[in-house]
C-alpha cells in the first residue's frame, strides 16, 4: 500500500469521484483515503463539471449515469481548456471491447471494472498521477523557460534600444546626432516627393563659439550646447525634429512647413537663444545665425537641401550674425554684403573678391577647381594678347567672379549629372544677369559687371542674355568665355571624363568666328604650343 502523504508538508493529490450511487461513492472515498488521497464527490455529470477546478488531479468517472453519461462528461472535460489535461479513469461494470473503445474515444485515459479492487485501484491511479505529475513538471519547466526567454528577450530589446540611442543621439545635448538627422531628412524628402508636399530645413551655427570656449572653458561650452538643445526641443519639437549636426552646428527638419513659416520658427529660436540666461555662467551670452531652405524649391535631395540652408546661414553670418536668412534671400543677402563691404571705413577689395568667389566655389569641389583654372587661364590669355597690367587684372577678376550669379541657381540644377530640361536651362541662363547685378552694387567692382553679364555671348550674336556680337562683346568677356570652355573640356564632370588639351583646342578652333573671338582662340593656340614645348 502507498504510504499516506504528510498533510503538514506535502499537498496530497485530490481525486474527484463521479457516481450516481451513494454507496459506490462512499466505497471509493474509503479506499482512496486508505491510499492517502484527498477526495471530492459529485452525484452526476453536471455536478462533476461544476466541481472540476485547478485543484483536481484525477477523475474517477462512472459510465452509467442519468442525463449525462460518463462518455458525455469525458468529452466535455477534454473540450474544456481549463481541465483538458486532467486524467480520467472510467469506472464501469461493462467490459466489452466496444465499451473500452468508446471510453478511449471519449477521452478517457484508463478504466476500472466494477467491483473495484483496491490493488488495481492503487496501480491505475498511481500510474495516471505519475504521468500527470510528469506532465505538470514539464509544463512548469516550459513555463519557467518561457519566462526566462521572455526576460532575456526584454533585456536584449532594452540593450538594443540603448545601443540604438547611443548610435543616434548626441551625448552632450541628448538630441538626434548627425547620422540620425541624415536618415530623418532623407525619409522626409522621400515622403514629400511621393506626396508632392513641402518641408523645410534650418541650418544653425552658434556665433563665435570658439571664442566662448576660449573665454569660459569647454565645460561651459558643452553647457551652452546642452542649453541650446533644450531651446530647440521647446521651439521646434511641436512641429519637427532638431539635432546636432556637428561641432556648434545644428539642423532642424520641419515637415509640412513652407519657407515663410520656417523663417518664423527660426526667428523664434534665434530670439530664444539671444535672450537666454545661462545660470551656470551669468556672464555668458550666445547668439546664432540661421539659414532656411525648403523642398522642392531649394533642393530635391538631402545634400542639396542641406547645402542651400548652409549657404543661407553663411550669408546670415557674413551680414553680421545673430539673424535669419532664407535661401530665396541669398542674392539680396550677397548684395547687402557687397554694400556693407563697399561702405566700410577700410574696404578690402581683395578680401571681398575672395569672399564672393568662395560663396560660389564652396558649393561644388569640381566647380571650385574649374573656377581657379578659368581665372588662371584668363590671366594668361590676357598677357598673351599683350594687354596692359590693369586690363590683365580686370580680366583675372572677371574670370574669378564670372559665375557669382550661380548663387541663385538651385543645387539640384547646378549639380545635375546630365542635360538640363528647358525650364532648368532657362533658370541656369539667368546667372549672368544676376551676377552682373550683384557686382554692380560694389563701386570698386562695378567695372566688371558688363563683362560678367556678357561672358555667355557669342561672336556670331547667338549668345545670351543680350545677343550682342563681335567686338561689341567686352574683351574680358570674350577671353573668359574661351577660358571657361577650355577648362570645362579639360576637367572631369559627373557625366563625362576630361578630354585632352589637343582635342579641346581643335574643338574651340573649329568654333572661332562663330562662338568664340578668333583673336582669343589664336592666343590660346600659342599658349598650348608653348606648354607643349616646355614639357
Amino acid at each position: 500500500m502507498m504510504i499516506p502523504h504528510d498533510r503538514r508538508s506535502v499537498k496530497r493529490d485530490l481525486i474527484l469521484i463521479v457516481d450516481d450511487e451513494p454507496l459506490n461513492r462512499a466505497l471509493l472515498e474509503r479506499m482512496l483515503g486508505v491510499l492517502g488521497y484527498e477526495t471530492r464527490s459529485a452525484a452526476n455529470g453536471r455536478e462533476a463539471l461544476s466541481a472540476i477546478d485547478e485543484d483536481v488531479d484525477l477523475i474517477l468517472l462512472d459510465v452509467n449515469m442519468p442525463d449525462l453519461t460518463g462518455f458525455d462528461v469525458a468529452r466535455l472535460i477534454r473540450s474544456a481548456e481549463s481541465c483538458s489535461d486532467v486524467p480520467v479513469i472510467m469506472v464501469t461494470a461493462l467490459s466489452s471491447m466496444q465499451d473500452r473503445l468508446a471510453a478511449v474515444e471519449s477521452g478517457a485515459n484508463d478504466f476500472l471494472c466494477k467491483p473495484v479492487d483496491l490493488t488495481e485501484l492503487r496501480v491505475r491511479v498511481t500510474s495516471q498521477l505519475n504521468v500527470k505529475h510528469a506532465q505538470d513538471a514539464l509544463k512548469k519547466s516550459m513555463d519557467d523557460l518561457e519566462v526566462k526567454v521572455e526576460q532575456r528577450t526584454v533585456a536584449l530589446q532594452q540593450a538594443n534600444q540603448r545601443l540604438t540611442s547611443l548610435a543616434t543621439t548626441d551625448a552632450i545635448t541628448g538630441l538626434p546626432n548627425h547620422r540620425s538627422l541624415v536618415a530623418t531628412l532623407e525619409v522626409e524628402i522621400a515622403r514629400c516627393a511621393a506626396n508632392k508636399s513641402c518641408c523645410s530645413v534650418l541650418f544653425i551655427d552658434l556665433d563665435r563659439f570658439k571664442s566662448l570656449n576660449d573665454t569660459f572653458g569647454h565645460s561651459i561650452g558643452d553647457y551652452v550646447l546642452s542649453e541650446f538643445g533644450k531651446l530647440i526641443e521647446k521651439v521646434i519639437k511641436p512641429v519637427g525634429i532638431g539635432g546636432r549636426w556637428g561641432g556648434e552646428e545644428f539642423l532642424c527638419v520641419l515637415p509640412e512647413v513652407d519657407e515663410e513659416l520656417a523663417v518664423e520658427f527660426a526667428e523664434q529660436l534665434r530670439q530664444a537663444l539671444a535672450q537666454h540666461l545661462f545660470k551656470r555662467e551669468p556672464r555668458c551670452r550666445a547668439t546664432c545665425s540661421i539659414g532656411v531652405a525648403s523642398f522642392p524649391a531649394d533642393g530635391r535631395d538631402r545634400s542639396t537641401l542641406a547645402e542651400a540652408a548652409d549657404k543661407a546661414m553663411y550669408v546670415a553670418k557674413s551680414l553680421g550674425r545673430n539673424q535669419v536668412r532664407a535661401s530665396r534671400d541669398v542674392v539680396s543677402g550677397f548684395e547687402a554684403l557687397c554694400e556693407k563691404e563697399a561702405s566700410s571705413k577700410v574696404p578690402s577689395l581683395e578680401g571681398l573678391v575672395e569672399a564672393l568667389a568662395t560663396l560660389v566655389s564652396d558649393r561644388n569641389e569640381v566647380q571650385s577647381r574649374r573656377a581657379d583654372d578659368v581665372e588662371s587661364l584668363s590671366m594668361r590669355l590676357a598677357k598673351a594678347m599683350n594687354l596692359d597690367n590693369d586690363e590683365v587684372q580686370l580680366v583675372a577678376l572677371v574670370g574669378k567672379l564670372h559665375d557669382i550669379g550661380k548663387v541663385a541657381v538651385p543645387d539640384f540644377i547646378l549639380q545635375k549629372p546630365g542635360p538640363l530640361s528647358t525650364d532648368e536651362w532657362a533658370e541656369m541662363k539667368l546667372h549672368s544677369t544676376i551676377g552682373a547685378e550683384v557686382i554692380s552694387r560694389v563701386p570698386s567692382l562695378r567695372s566688371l559687371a558688363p563683362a560678367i553679364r556678357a561672358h555667355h555671348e557669342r561672336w556670331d550674336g547667338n549668345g545670351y542674355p543680350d545677343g550682342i556680337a563681335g567686338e561689341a562683346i567686352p574683351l574680358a568677356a570674350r577671353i573668359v568665355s574661351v577660358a571657361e570652355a577650355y577648362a570645362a573640356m579639360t576637367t572631369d564632370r559627373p557625366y563625362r571624363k576630361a578630354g585632352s588639351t589637343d582635342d579641346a583646342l581643335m574643338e574651340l578652333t573649329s568654333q572661332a568666328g562663330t562662338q568664340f573671338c578668333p583673336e582669343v582662340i589664336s592666343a590660346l593656340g600659342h599658349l598650348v604650343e608653348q606648354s607643349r614645348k616646355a614639357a
Side-chain angles (χ1 to χ4, degrees), residues 398-416:
V398 173
K400 193 177 193 70
L401 298 176
H402 69 284
D403 273 342
I404 186 66
K406 286 184 177 178
V407 297
V409 179
D411 284 349
F412 75 88
I413 294 178
L414 199 61
Q415 300 176 14
K416 187 175 182 180

Side-chain angles (χ1 to χ4, degrees), residues 8-71:
R8 295 171 299 178
S9 60
V10 180
K11 173 187 176 296
R12 293 192 296 169
D13 292 315
L14 175 63
I15 298 176
L16 174 62
I17 302 168
V18 185
D19 199 309
D20 60 334
E21 291 291 337
L23 290 177
N24 290 339
R25 293 198 303 274
L27 176 62
L28 287 172
E29 286 174 358
R30 284 196 297 272
M31 295 173 72
L32 291 170
V34 169
L35 296 175
Y37 298 109
E38 291 188 359
T39 59
R40 182 184 295 173
S41 296
N44 54 61
R46 298 194 183 280
E47 188 177 326
L49 294 173
S50 299
I52 299 173
D53 57 27
E54 61 182 10
D55 293 330
V56 174
D57 297 296
L58 184 141
I59 302 172
L60 293 178
L61 181 60
D62 185 28
V63 172
N64 293 318
M65 294 185 295
D67 191 11
L68 291 176
T69 67
F71 299 142

Side-chain angles (χ1 to χ4, degrees), residues 283-304:
R283 297 173 299 163
C284 180
R285 290 290 184 272
T287 61
C288 64
S289 300
I290 305 177
V292 181
S294 296
F295 175 91
D298 302 317
R300 297 173 182 267
D301 58 50
R302 183 257 304 171
S303 60
T304 54

